[in-house]
Amino acid sequence: MPTISPEERRAAPAKAAAVRRERAEVREALKRGRLSLGEVLAAESDAVRKMPVRALLESLPAIGKARAARLLGELDISESRRVRGLGVQQRDRLLDRFDPQG
C-alpha cells in the first residue's frame, strides 16, 4: 500500500464526501431527465467513471434494484462492472436500450 502524508490523510474524508456528492448529483440528474445515459457514459469525471453500472441503472426512472439486476444479466454486464470498465459492445447495448438518440 502506498504511504500517505498526514495532510493527505486529513483531506481524504473531504475528498470522499465530494465524490459521493458528485455521484448523487449525477444519479439525481438521471432520475429527473436532466442528463441522458449517453452523457453520463461519456463523462470524463473519475467519480462517474468509478460508479457501478448497477447504480446508474437504478437511477433511471422506473428501474429499481430487481429490474437493474435483471437488465445487467440481459445485457451481459457483470453486477460489479464499473462505468470505466464497460466494453464497447456493452456500452452500445446500454445506449441502444436506454438512450436511442445518443
Side-chain angles (χ1 to χ4, degrees):
M1 283 182 47
T3 58
I4 61 173
S5 70
E7 295 82 24
E8 291 172 322
R9 188 176 306 276
R10 282 191 292 278
K15 184 177 177 183
V19 167
R20 286 192 302 273
R21 191 171 24 261
E22 182 178 352
R23 288 180 182 172
E25 289 169 2
V26 167
R27 287 193 309 270
E28 183 66 22
L30 263 176
K31 182 178 280 187
R32 302 285 181 225
R34 293 189 307 259
L35 280 177
S36 70
L37 187 60
E39 291 171 319
V40 173
L41 293 177
E44 295 294 324
S45 164
D46 252 3
V48 173
R49 292 177 46 79
K50 290 181 181 178
M51 280 181 75
V53 175
R54 174 191 39 78
L56 285 182
L57 289 180
E58 291 172 6
S59 299
L60 293 170
I63 298 181
K65 292 180 185 295
R67 187 160 180 223
R70 191 178 76 241
L71 287 166
L72 286 173
E74 288 174 12
L75 298 171
D76 197 28
I77 299 172
S78 169
E79 281 275 333
S80 61
R81 180 69 62 202
R82 306 235 174 222
V83 171
R84 71 173 172 203
L86 285 171
V88 175
Q89 291 179 354
Q90 291 172 325
R91 186 178 299 266
D92 289 345
R93 285 192 298 264
L94 274 170
L95 291 175
D96 287 345
R97 184 77 170 257
F98 297 104
D99 196 12
Q101 300 92 337

